[in-house]
Every structure is written in structure tokens, then in C-alpha cells.
Amino acid sequence: MKLISKVAYAAAGLVFIGSSVFAQSLADAKKAIDAEQYQKAKSILKNLTTTQPTKDENFFYLGWVYTIQDYADSAKAVFNQGIAANPKSALNFAGLGVVAHVDKDNAGTASNFDKAISFAAKDSKPYLYMGKGYLLLSGGKTTVAAADANAAIAILNKGLVVNPKDADINIALGDAYRSQLKSSDAYKYYSDATNLNPQSAVANVAIGVLWKYANNFEDAEKQFQKALSIDPNFGPAYREWAETDLRWALTDPKMASEKVKQAADQYRKYLSLTDMSIESRMRYADFLIQAGDYKTLQTEAAALSASANSNLRVYRYLGYSAYENGDYPAGLTAMNKWISQAGEKRIIPRDYLYLGRLQMKSGQDSLGIQSLQKAYQLDTTQADVFNEIAKSYYAKKKYLEAGDAYRRYISKTRQAKLQDYLNEGISYYYAYDEKNPKADTTLLTKSDSAFAHIEQTATTPIAAVALYRAYVNDTKDRDRQNIKGYAKPFYEKYIQIVTTKGPTDSDKKSLASAYAYLGTYYQFKEKDDAKATENFTKAREFDPANKQAVAFFAKKGK
């Protein structure tokens, strides 16, 4: 059973009971946004845009909710309505700039941000949301690019000049630095935010998240508790607490059982405090991916896909979970739908990774390899794709391609194991066609180099490596009448390793081949009949049917 399954089971039975009476102020809408109660926030804001149609702020915050929910087109339409209400609305121009950034429209981003700044005057909020826009993890991104973080820091610092006492800008600056693993800088700005606004649940949760990533779990929990003492209904504190408990469980096996149970409790509380919108449930789906509970993810994704208001992104979850659960046809259908309909801007490298895996499991190897290579092109940290490609080629007996793929994997990753070098060496060895007079002898050199690396790195001698080095060098020395002895030291090393540990039945034929080679060497190279007879005798003892030994003794009449 996977570690997180208890979380899934506990959350699966949740029934959300929400209030049908919503407050109608902009302040309440902002509070709902911070609490990730997006449906509630949209309900309030849609009402406000109708009852107060001249207030551009109402339109901005509605558009902002659409933006963070990854509905860029809806956000853009609402921001434009805000500009229609106030042609000098700095906030709504900031919103349009954020949408342009999400759409990777650099010119549109710059143009709209310039307008926002020109209309902002002494209002720091447009700077805040421009900065937050650079930090958005839209479209399934999991990390903030350094360039985006730096852009966020630059614009947020301009906002601090406008209003040095804006706690929200300090929080956003902390987020920007945290995204780049600059913990000291992040802590400084989070602390400044709590000094400016001691009642900020958001700032206290942010400090807790900082401690979470430092594996300081006790202090992280204290921060979440502090946030909840400020606002007992602040759902994100429970969500981050759940994710902290999960990280704790995965980090410390002794605490695993207790922390998994606590993670279940915290996530259940989080879900109960949200509006159980599609977006909240997709956040839960992301949590299940992090937890590795793909069985529950598949069930949850199927339920989400049945909803009339389902987000297309649910097909990503269906594809991932179906692959992990071995339901390849369903997974391939889901991933094809997601990638064909989502649009390039919403696709992440991991999508191509799963598409490629599903294609290969479905017999579409060439397409699968293309998809895996696409995943690597989009994210060069995904070097594992070459390992998967190599395994596919090897299974199809395309040994040259397999060797090249293993070689590329080893050169691109820091995670290469000795087994990967062994696979590379074997692939190149089988790729060499000794019957072809024009065969590429560099394949033997590459093969031997891979095996030699293992010999130099391994802490103890490995019989299989010595044997393959012998095979490679034996292949170079096929003229038995003019034998050079290239393979001699490797066969001798193989014999030494195996006889020291004690040969098994599975070793016997290989031992026979090794002794037969040595017999041939002494017969033709050294002209030492006694030594030749001694080695052929051992070869015959281990394998009476060994052809070289049989031929040697036939000539001698024995």
C-alpha cells in the first residue's frame, strides 16, 4: 500500500457543507481569494460587477480569480471590462499584462505593464499583482524560472518604493526569493510582512512553508498553528500543513504512520473550508500526484471528468493515473485529448513524458521515442527519457540505437549507475556485426570503455564485467591460427572471480569457454601443448560439449 493511501481514503469520504449566504463586499471577496474559496469569491465579484459597474476594482479581482484558475481568456475579457469602466485602471492593465505573460506574449506583457505603471500613481497594488503574475505556476508548471523571479523582484521593489508599508508586497517578495531557494532573503521579507501586519495569516503560512522546505517540520507546524489562531477558517494553512506532514512522512520513516494520518486530517480540513470547486479538487489531484497515490487519482479524475464544468486539465490526471495503474488504452486516449486540445502554452514537459510512455506501452515505439525526446527538449533535466528510450530499443534488438541512448543518458545525468554502463557496454557489443567485413570496430571500443569504467569504479570485482571484456577482446582476436591473446587477462580474471566465490551450474558454460580460449592461446601462441591440454581438460570438465575442447582432444585421439 502506498504511503499516502490513508490520506486519500480519509479525504474521499468528505461531504462539503457550504453556506449559501455570501457577504457582498470587495473585502470579503479578497478574503475568499486568500482562503482559496474561489467559487465564493467569483459569486461575490460577479454580483459586485453588476451592482457597482463603474468600480474597476471589482472587475480586476474577478479577472484575477480567473487568472489563477488558469482561465486566461475569461480573465482577459473581464480585465477589458474593467478598463471600459475606467480607461486609466492600473489594476486591469496589470491584469492584461499578467495574461499576456501567461500566454508568453512578451510584447503584450511589457506594453500593458507600462500602462499600469503610468496610471498607478501612489497605488502599490498594481505593482503587487504584476509581481505575483510573474510568479504564477500556470499551466501545470512546478517551478518559477529565474528570469521570472528576477522580474518579479524588480517590479515588487518598485512597489515598495511607492508604499514601504505594503505587507502583501513583502510577502510576494518572499515568495519570489523562496522560488529560487534564497531562504534568508525570503525569511527577511516574510518577517517584514508580519511586522507590518501581525494578523496576516498568509505571511505566517508563508514562513511555515519556508521551514517545510528546510525540513524544519516542528517550526513549520507552529507557523500554521499561528495562522489558524488568527483565522481558524484559513484553508491554505491546513493544505500546507498536510503537505508538510507528507514531506515529513517521506523524510522520516519512523514518523511515517503518524504523519500520514495527520496529513489526512489536515487535507480533510482544507477541503472542508474550500468551496469544493473544480479547481480545489484539481489541487487535491496535484497533491495525489505528489503523494504517488495514482489509484485514488484515477478515481478522482474520473469523477472530475464527469462534471459539466470540468476543466480540460482533468485529462492530464486521467492520463498520468491510467499509465501508473497499467490502463494504457485509457491513458493514451486521455493524454491525446489533453495535448491536442489544451494548446501548446498549457503543455508541460511531463505531459510529453507520459504520452511517450503510453505510446510505447501501446506499441507505438517510434512515436513514443519522439514524445520522450520532446520532453527532454522542453526540460533538459529529464535525462531519464534516454534510459527509457534505450530500454525500448534494446527490447526491439536495436542494439546500436540502445547503446547510443544509454551513452547519452550517462552523459546527461548525474544519476547514472554501474548498471547503466553495463547496459551500454552490452548494447554496443551486440551491435557489432563480426560477420560484416566493414563492421564498425569503434563499437567494440565503446563497449570495452563502458566495461572498463565499471571495473575502475566497482568496490568488488564483477564476474559479468570481466566476462564481457573478455568477449569484446575475443571478438578482436578471431584468427585462432594467429591468436594475439587480447582476451587472455580478462578470461583469467573471470576464472579467478568465479572460482574464488565457488562456481554455480550457471557459470559452467562460461568457464568452459574461458578455459577453451586459454587452451587455444597456449596451443597456437605459446606452442605449449601441456598448458593447452591442461586448459582444454578444464573446459571439458565444465562443459563436455564445448566444441573447441572436443576438437582438440579429437585430434589427439582422446
Side-chain angles (χ1 to χ4, degrees):
M1 179 183 289
K2 295 208 181 215
L3 187 64
I4 195 58
S5 58
K6 295 180 183 177
V7 175
Y9 298 150
L14 178 70
V15 177
F16 173 69
I17 302 174
S19 171
S20 60
V21 180
F22 294 143
Q24 295 297 308
S25 72
L26 184 58
D28 286 311
K30 292 180 183 179
K31 187 176 181 180
I33 293 171
D34 284 342
E36 298 179 12
Q37 296 171 339
Y38 299 128
Q39 291 301 108
K40 178 179 179 179
K42 284 194 288 189
S43 179
I44 296 171
L45 291 164
K46 285 178 180 179
N47 182 62
L48 289 174
T49 57
T50 300
T51 59
Q52 301 173 359
T54 61
K55 292 189 176 181
D56 58 293
E57 267 192 303
N58 297 331
F59 292 97
F60 168 74
Y61 284 102
L62 178 57
W64 182 250
V65 175
Y66 282 127
T67 302
I68 58 182
Q69 289 185 313
D70 208 14
Y71 296 113
D73 291 341
S74 297
K76 185 175 181 180
V78 175
F79 291 141
N80 278 319
Q81 288 178 317
I83 292 169
N86 175 9
K88 295 184 178 182
S89 175
L91 274 172
N92 281 288
F93 276 113
L96 285 178
V98 171
V99 171
H101 176 67
V102 169
D103 285 341
K104 300 179 182 179
D105 176 3
N106 295 333
T109 302
S111 173
N112 284 295
F113 280 0
D114 286 345
K115 289 177 183 177
I117 292 170
S118 70
F119 295 136
K122 295 184 178 181
D123 183 4
S124 60
K125 292 305 175 190
Y127 294 93
L128 169 66
Y129 285 97
M130 285 185 278
K132 287 167 75 81
Y134 280 118
L135 302 175
L136 280 175
L137 294 177
S138 57
K141 290 190 300 182
T142 56
T143 57
V144 176
D148 287 341
N150 291 334
I153 290 167
I155 200 75
L156 290 166
N157 276 317
K158 290 180 181 179
L160 271 190
V161 172
V162 173
N163 182 6
K165 295 185 178 181
D166 190 327
D168 291 336
I169 285 186
N170 279 280
I171 294 170
L173 275 165
D175 292 343
Y177 281 111
R178 190 187 73 207
S179 75
Q180 303 306 298
L181 307 180
K182 297 180 178 179
S183 300
S184 296
D185 293 311
Y187 182 74
K188 184 264 183 193
Y189 285 104
Y190 290 148
S191 297
D192 288 350
T194 58
N195 291 332
L196 290 166
N197 181 9
Q199 295 302 302
S200 173
V202 176
N204 279 286
V205 168
I207 294 173
V209 173
L210 197 62
W211 294 143
K212 174 184 76 173
Y213 286 117
N215 288 349
N216 183 351
F217 303 120
E218 292 89 348
D219 283 340
E221 287 190 343
K222 289 176 184 177
Q223 289 299 142
F224 302 140
Q225 290 167 347
K226 188 172 181 179
L228 291 166
S229 71
I230 295 168
D231 181 358
N233 296 318
F234 191 64
Y238 285 112
R239 174 176 49 73
E240 293 293 354
W241 197 344
E243 293 178 4
T244 297
D245 282 334
L246 174 61
R247 185 180 176 97
W248 196 341
L250 295 171
T251 303
D252 184 356
K254 293 179 181 178
M255 299 292 291
S257 178
E258 176 185 349
K259 289 303 168 185
V260 166
K261 182 180 182 301
Q262 290 178 6
D265 293 340
Q266 308 311 340
Y267 218 97
R268 184 169 62 247
K269 290 173 184 174
Y270 164 68
L271 288 172
S272 72
L273 291 169
T274 70
D275 43 32
M276 289 299 286
S277 64
I278 295 294
E279 287 70 31
S280 296
R281 292 171 68 188
M282 286 198 297
R283 183 68 185 251
Y284 175 49
D286 289 328
F287 179 72
L288 292 172
I289 291 175
Q290 179 188 0
D293 186 358
Y294 292 100
K295 289 191 179 299
T296 304
L297 177 63
Q298 192 167 19
T299 301
E300 180 68 11
L304 281 168
S305 67
S307 170
N309 298 318
S310 178
N311 187 309
L312 184 65
R313 199 167 83 225
V314 72
Y315 289 98
R316 169 187 287 155
Y317 303 131
L318 284 170
Y320 288 11
S321 59
Y323 171 79
E324 297 290 351
N325 294 324
D327 190 357
Y328 305 126
L332 185 58
T333 298
M335 287 308 297
N336 278 328
K337 183 177 179 68
W338 164 245
I339 287 179
S340 64
Q341 296 184 21
E344 185 179 347
K345 294 169 185 175
R346 299 179 71 188
I347 304 300
I348 60 174
R350 188 168 56 183
D351 294 337
Y352 285 108
L353 185 65
Y354 271 96
L355 176 63
R357 289 169 172 171
L358 285 161
Q359 288 169 328
M360 291 168 73
K361 288 292 187 181
S362 303
Q364 302 174 16
D365 288 57
S366 59
L367 288 175
I369 289 168
Q370 289 176 27
S371 296
L372 292 176
Q373 289 173 333
K374 178 74 171 177
Y376 179 77
Q377 290 168 9
L378 294 174
D379 179 5
T380 54
T381 66
Q382 298 280 358
D384 283 355
V385 301
F386 295 110
N387 205 322
E388 296 188 46
I389 290 171
K391 289 176 182 177
S392 173
Y393 278 134
Y394 192 90
K396 300 290 185 183
K397 297 185 178 181
K398 295 182 177 181
Y399 297 120
L400 175 59
E401 292 87 346
D404 288 344
Y406 280 123
R407 191 179 186 85
R408 193 169 185 188
Y409 169 67
I410 290 167
S411 71
K412 299 290 185 183
T413 184
R414 297 179 180 177
Q415 308 300 322
K417 298 178 176 61
L418 293 183
Q419 181 66 47
D420 299 312
Y421 284 92
L422 183 64
N423 293 340
E424 177 196 355
I426 292 172
S427 297
Y428 279 132
Y429 171 67
Y430 285 129
Y432 180 77
D433 182 5
E434 61 182 291
K435 295 179 181 178
N436 182 354
K438 295 182 179 180
D440 184 0
T441 57
T442 63
L443 297 177
L444 295 177
T445 302
K446 290 177 181 178
S447 177
D448 198 40
S449 176
F451 297 135
H453 173 84
I454 300 173
E455 281 192 337
Q456 294 161 10
T457 307
T459 55
T460 57
I462 301 172
V465 174
L467 184 60
Y468 270 109
R469 289 204 77 183
Y471 287 163
V472 169
N473 285 278
D474 195 350
T475 303
K476 299 176 184 177
D477 204 10
R478 284 303 184 187
D479 183 356
R480 293 310 195 212
Q481 300 297 322
N482 192 30
I483 192 169
K484 300 291 191 296
Y486 300 137
K488 180 176 181 288
F490 304 110
Y491 277 125
E492 288 175 335
K493 186 169 186 178
Y494 170 72
I495 291 169
Q496 179 188 5
I497 296 170
V498 173
T499 54
T500 298
K501 72 176 180 65
T504 64
D505 287 343
S506 62
D507 296 321
K508 289 182 177 179
K509 283 196 174 183
S510 296
L511 279 170
S513 295
Y515 281 116
Y517 175 89
L518 293 175
T520 302
Y521 172 81
Y522 284 112
Q523 179 184 10
F524 293 107
K525 177 70 174 176
E526 298 294 334
K527 313 296 184 184
D528 187 336
D529 188 66
K531 278 281 194 180
T533 301
E534 177 186 341
N535 281 282
F536 279 122
T537 298
K538 290 180 179 178
R540 188 167 61 177
E541 287 174 359
F542 283 110
D543 180 11
N546 181 274
K547 292 181 180 179
Q548 290 171 270
V550 169
F552 177 79
F553 287 112
K555 286 183 180 180
K556 286 184 169 289
K558 295 181 180 180

